[in-house]
Structure formats: C-alpha cells, structure tokens
Amino acid sequence: MVFSGLSCLTITSVGATQDRTSYFNKNYTLTGNPIDDIVAIAQAQKNRTQTEMGYTEAWCANFVGDCASLAGLSDCIPSDGYCGTLYNNIINAGGKEVTSPQKGDIVFYICTAGANNCPKSGYPWVHVGIMTSSSTSIEGNSNNKVTAKTRISYTDRNGHTYGHSGTNSVIVKYLRPNYPSQEPPTNVTLTSKNYWYDLEDTVVLYPRADNASYCWLSVYKDDVRIVDSAVTDEYSFDANKWGVGTYNAWITAVNSIGKVDSEHISFPVVDKTGYTDVYASDYWYDLNDTVKINVDTICAKGQAISIFKNGTEKVISEDCDSTFTISASDKRLGVGEYSAYFTVYNSSHKVDTKWITFSIVGKPSYTEVKSDKCWYDLNDTVTITVSPICAHGQAIGIDKNNIEKVISEDCNNTYTIPASKLGVGKYSAYFTLYNHYDTTDTKRVYFEIVDEPKEGYLSGHCYVSEITNTPSCIANGTKTYTCSTCGDTYTETLPVTGHTEVVDKGYEATYEKEGLTDGLHCSVCDKVLVEQEIIPILVMLGDVDSDGKVRVVDATCIQRHLAEIEILTGEQLVRADTYKDGKVTILDATQIQRLLAELIPEL
C-alpha cells in the first residue's frame, strides 16, 4: 500500500544542537508539497562533503533531520543524531513501515542480530537516507559525500557493503513519515496483477494513493460485495474462494482534507480458456521465408502448436508463444502442404483451436500468360498479363522480330505499354516469376504491331480460314478460323449443297422382255432419289397356250375350259380374256376365230 499519512504529531527533537542548516546549499525552490520539498533540499546537496556540510562525526541521521527541518517537517521527522532513535521518532510521530517505497520515504539499513560486520558490537543501526523515487535514494554517506544512489545499498568506512534483506546480514526497512496533508489524496489508483485469473490463481490487487491517511477497498462479485476492508498494502485472495465470475473493485483514499475514489476496475475469474482467431501470416511461403502462425487467446496461460505435413505426418508438437515462428527451410518442414492448430490452456482447462492450412514451395509457377490482342495498331495499348502462383514478383521481357530485346524490367502481373513506343513489327514476350527462393520463366506469347490491318486481322486476332468439314448434299459443313499468333479459333457453318439430279431412262416392255420406268439419282453422292420400277412383259391376248402365236388351238383351249374338260391357269385366263371384260366366255373364242378369218385387225 502506498499512501501518505495523517498530519504530524508534535514531538520535541533530540540529538544534535548545532545549527548546520546554514551550511546547506540553498539552490532549491520550496513548493509547499512536503515530499517534493524535502527531496529537493536533499538533492541540492549532492556531492557536497561532510566538512562542507558542517558535520564532524557520523552524519547520515543528522543529514535527514536537517533536510526535514529546512522543509518545515521537524514534527514528522524529528531530528536525531542516531539512526535507531530517528527510526523510533518517526514511528512516534505517526509514520508507518511500508514494503513498497516511494518518493519521500526514509530508508534504514539495520544489522541482523549477531552479525559480524556491524560497525559496532551490538549496535544494529547502520545507515539512513531519503528516497527520491521508488528505487533511488540520496544519503549522507561515510565516504564523506552526499550521494545519490540508484541501488539501495550502503558501503561503510570499513568497506562493508549492506543491501536488501539477506545481503551481508542487513535488513532494509522503509518508513513513511506522517507528512502533513495539503490537499485531498491524489493519484488514487487500484490495479490488478493480472487482467484475468483462473481458479488456481491468487488474485492480487495493488492500491496506490499519494497524500492519503488510509485506503478502503471495495470488491464486488456479480453485484454482491465480498470485500469491504481498510488496506495498507497489496491485497490478495485465492481465486477459488469466491469462484468464477466478474469482479469489480475500487479504493477510497482518505485524509484529513477529504476522500477520493479510484476508477473502478474489473477482472474475471474463469474456469475455461478459449480463443478468438487462429491464422497464418500468409497462405504460402517459399523456402527462404519465415512461417508465422498466430492465435488470439482468451484467458490462456500458454499454448502448444501441432503441425502436420501432407495431411498425415505430425512434424511439430511443442509449447510456444501465441505467435509461432519457424524457418520454412527447417529440416522438419520443407516443400509441402501443411495444416496446424494450437492447444490453448490455463491451469483449469484446455481447448484445441480450428485448423489452418498453408503451403511451402520452391519455385513459383503460373496458370496463364496472355496478350489481350494478337495485333495492335499504333494507337493501341499493348496489354500482357500473367496469373502467378507463389510468386513475390515478376519481370517482363519483350523481343522484337525474335532478335532484338526491347523491354526487360520488373512489373506488375499486368504489363501495359503504348504500341507506338514499340513500333511496327512482330513481338514475343514472357515473364520471369520470382520468390525469395527461385525463379520461373513463363511460355512466350506473340503479337504484332501494324500500321494497317491485313486480311483476317479481326478483333485483335490474325485469323486464317480452313474448311474443316466439307458440306454435302444433305449435311452442313464447317469453316474454322484460327489465329496464327495465339491459336484462338472460331467456326462458320457452310450450308448443305443439295442433290444434283440425273434421270435414269426406262424402256417399254415387249412380248418377249420386261420394261422399266424412268428414275432419278444424285450425281454427287449417288443416292437414288426415285426408284425405277419393272414393267412386266406384254401379254399376247388370245395366245392361251403361250406358244407365241394365236391359232385355232387357242380357241379350242377356251372351249375346253368352258366345257370343263381342261382347267386354264391364271396367266392363261388373262390371255384368254380377249374381250377385255374380266371374264372368259364363248365370245373370247369367237374373237380368236374372227382374228384368224381376218375379220378384225388385232385383239
């Protein structure tokens, strides 16, 4: 606990009667603040000797008392020529021992019982000084000079060094004099040792106040007061005493002038840990990079990382900071695909984070490199792009007419240049991709800069046509246009040609031979468009017996058929129907006889 005390009690000074303050350096300004004033007076005497200060014998206690006298603080620090009685005088004047020193406190060096190196047998009080801060003091030393010290220790005239408790059998004690209050307490604060605690921790609170007689600590948990107590120094309790929850606390600093509250502080006591995010500093690294993996923890006292290579092989498992760093070329890593997670823990709990993935690569690579056009006129802008993979940068190279290198420079993954800056000609270009470890050249792209477009130079391409599928009589054909620079293609449909008709001439049937009708076919594909049909051999009416002649015997065949003496076949019945009425009667035989008698010209 750090605070100033109540107003000094009036105690009659004992000890030296000589007025030595006339020897003091007056190069200081009093402000009315008792602590600032006594320190300013003491510091103004720095490096002055015992003789210059008017002291004849051991003088450290008198130096403290005389500084207090000049600051008007004799009531709080009654002057005395001996350390032991000065200590008692300050206590009797309302001063208190403190464990955490601050500016204005009085530091005492005291021999422990039976110490061999005390300057006088049985005399435990060794030395005294004034604290100028929490870690420095100014003292009238036995080396005959007023000395400012940044480490609390003391070397006497016999060469013995005394320091903190346990060093050379010397105890260091701090007294806070009961300085008078000139204003209400100032610099009133309450701090917590940690931002959070788990159930295995000890909660430690540090009250601080300047110019306070005492402080009162209030602690609430979930709106229920659990501590309501005066405190003189740090306050602590086991976190599991009141358990998991949110705690709020503050102090009220009090002196004779008034009281001042500190700002409220809050801290949780938790049983579980957690995290808000886990991430790698990049998606990929090359072999000269440093891999960085981070976890943002909640209420954690530590974490361990696990890293797997290619999905199955665990290559790292160790405790680490919340940012884990490792060289990508570490023998445990190397080129490959990786996944990793943290195990976050405190004294009561642990939890695994989500997985993150990253890659370690050697050479960079790419998916595509292209020119946005295959030809440009002089008013165009040439644009060449690359889609890199695992590259930190790239440079472009452009050659003219496959001989002259005209461009070689670092660039973005889209490179542009006015065509007029290059001039008319044929060009090839490529990128060199690089990371911290290696380089890769892309394939070349080709383009042309012209003053006038040529045949087939359309939409930025130099197209040449070719019939890739000839149209036929019944199917469409295809004409394919291919850019001679980049290979881009498009197609055009060629319509069907249709059939070329040719007549297949037929001929009449005769009594001896069948006839044939006219037909059509395609002279290109030979497809028959109209089938030719057979015309049967002519039937000779009246020639019933099919001997190629009409005679009396044919009429007799009809008569025999009608008399059912002879049965005619179907074809014979057709020949016998000379009357052409669809039936065979005696009239048909008569017609044959009339033909033979030349009474009719033909049947």
Side-chain angles (χ1 to χ4, degrees), residues 7-24:
S7 300
C8 299
L9 301 174
T10 301
I11 298 178
T12 303
S13 175
V14 295
T17 59
Q18 177 186 1
D19 181 13
R20 293 169 297 273
T21 58
S22 60
Y23 294 94
F24 272 55

Side-chain angles (χ1 to χ4, degrees), residues 245-302:
T246 300
Y247 292 72
N248 292 281
W250 71 93
I251 58 169
T252 301
V254 180
N255 65 18
S256 59
I257 304 300
K259 59 182 180 179
V260 177
D261 288 342
S262 69
E263 290 187 1
H264 290 215
I265 65 169
S266 64
F267 53 89
V269 172
V270 302
D271 56 352
K272 292 184 178 181
T273 185
Y275 70 100
T276 58
D277 199 9
V278 57
Y279 52 94
S281 60
D282 215 330
Y283 297 109
W284 64 271
Y285 305 89
D286 64 49
L287 288 171
N288 283 336
D289 286 334
T290 297
V291 178
K292 293 184 179 180
I293 309 173
N294 303 273
V295 60
D296 298 329
T297 61
I298 301 173
C299 301
K301 290 183 175 177

Side-chain angles (χ1 to χ4, degrees), residues 44-90:
Q45 317 311 315
K46 184 178 176 183
N47 293 327
R48 299 194 68 205
T49 67
Q50 180 177 357
T51 301
E52 289 172 335
M53 299 289 292
Y55 298 108
T56 57
E57 294 186 1
W59 59 305
C60 58
N62 282 328
F63 174 72
V64 172
D66 290 341
C67 288
S69 176
L70 285 172
L73 301 172
S74 294
D75 287 345
C76 299
I77 308 174
S79 180
D80 193 282
Y82 302 102
C83 298
T85 52
L86 179 61
Y87 181 94
N88 292 330
N89 288 345
I90 294 174

Side-chain angles (χ1 to χ4, degrees), residues 375-379 423-425 448-454 457:
W375 67 272
Y376 303 86
D377 64 39
L378 290 171
N379 292 323
V424 172
E448 186 176 356
I449 297 175
V450 300
D451 48 7
E452 284 187 14
K454 304 175 186 177
Y457 282 28

Side-chain angles (χ1 to χ4, degrees), residues 161-445:
T161 299
Y162 309 94
H164 288 289
S165 177
T167 303
N168 287 336
S169 303
V170 171
I171 298 173
V172 177
K173 287 190 175 183
Y174 305 99
L175 282 189
R176 183 154 303 150
N178 196 11
Y179 289 117
S181 298
Q182 302 297 315
E183 58 185 9
T186 58
N187 300 322
V188 182
T189 62
L190 179 65
T191 58
S192 174
K193 181 179 180 180
N194 298 325
Y195 294 111
W196 61 272
Y197 302 88
D198 65 41
L199 291 172
E200 301 299 319
D201 288 332
T202 297
V203 178
V204 182
L205 304 176
Y206 301 105
R208 294 286 186 272
D210 293 336
N211 203 27
S213 300
Y214 64 91
C215 287
W216 198 268
L217 174 66
S218 300
V219 180
Y220 281 77
K221 180 202 171 186
D222 300 331
D223 297 327
V224 176
R225 187 192 292 267
I226 57 175
V227 176
D228 187 22
S229 174
V231 291
T232 59
D233 213 325
E234 67 182 44
Y235 183 88
S236 63
F237 60 88
D238 291 337
N240 59 16
K241 180 176 182 180
W242 287 294
V244 173
T246 300
Y247 292 72
N248 292 281
W250 71 93
I251 58 169
T252 301
V254 180
N255 65 18
S256 59
I257 304 300
K259 59 182 180 179
V260 177
D261 288 342
S262 69
E263 290 187 1
H264 290 215
I265 65 169
S266 64
F267 53 89
V269 172
V270 302
D271 56 352
K272 292 184 178 181
T273 185
Y275 70 100
T276 58
D277 199 9
V278 57
Y279 52 94
S281 60
D282 215 330
Y283 297 109
W284 64 271
Y285 305 89
D286 64 49
L287 288 171
N288 283 336
D289 286 334
T290 297
V291 178
K292 293 184 179 180
I293 309 173
N294 303 273
V295 60
D296 298 329
T297 61
I298 301 173
C299 301
K301 290 183 175 177
Q303 51 280 319
I305 192 167
S306 297
I307 301 179
F308 291 79
K309 185 174 184 179
N310 299 329
T312 57
E313 178 188 1
K314 180 179 281 192
V315 292
I316 292 177
S317 180
E318 61 187 54
D319 279 351
C320 61
D321 293 332
S322 58
T323 296
F324 176 78
T325 61
I326 187 172
S327 171
S329 60
D330 187 286
K331 64 182 181 180
R332 294 171 291 176
L333 297 180
V335 173
E337 301 293 327
Y338 292 86
S339 56
Y341 68 92
F342 288 90
T343 299
V344 179
Y345 58 86
N346 60 27
S347 300
S348 304
H349 180 249
K350 67 179 180 179
V351 64
D352 290 341
T353 69
K354 68 180 182 181
W355 292 76
I356 58 100
T357 59
F358 60 93
S359 302
I360 296 177
V361 302
K363 283 188 173 185
S365 60
Y366 67 99
T367 57
E368 184 180 35
V369 59
K370 66 179 181 178
S371 170
D372 70 324
K373 295 170 67 176
C374 293
W375 67 272
Y376 303 86
D377 64 39
L378 290 171
N379 292 323
D380 286 336
T381 296
V382 177
T383 302
I384 307 171
T385 58
V386 64
S387 301
I389 300 174
C390 301
H392 290 303
Q394 54 275 323
I396 193 168
I398 301 178
D399 297 334
K400 185 174 184 179
N401 299 327
N402 294 322
I403 300 174
E404 178 188 2
K405 184 174 286 292
V406 292
I407 300 289
S408 180
E409 61 188 51
D410 277 354
C411 62
N412 295 324
N413 55 15
T414 296
Y415 178 80
T416 60
I417 186 172
S420 58
K421 187 173 181 179
L422 295 175
V424 172
K426 292 186 176 182
Y427 295 86
S428 65
Y430 68 96
F431 290 91
T432 298
L433 307 174
Y434 57 85
N435 57 30
H436 298 145
Y437 181 73
D438 209 341
T439 62
T440 297
D441 289 343
T442 69
K443 70 177 183 180
R444 287 179 178 267
V445 295

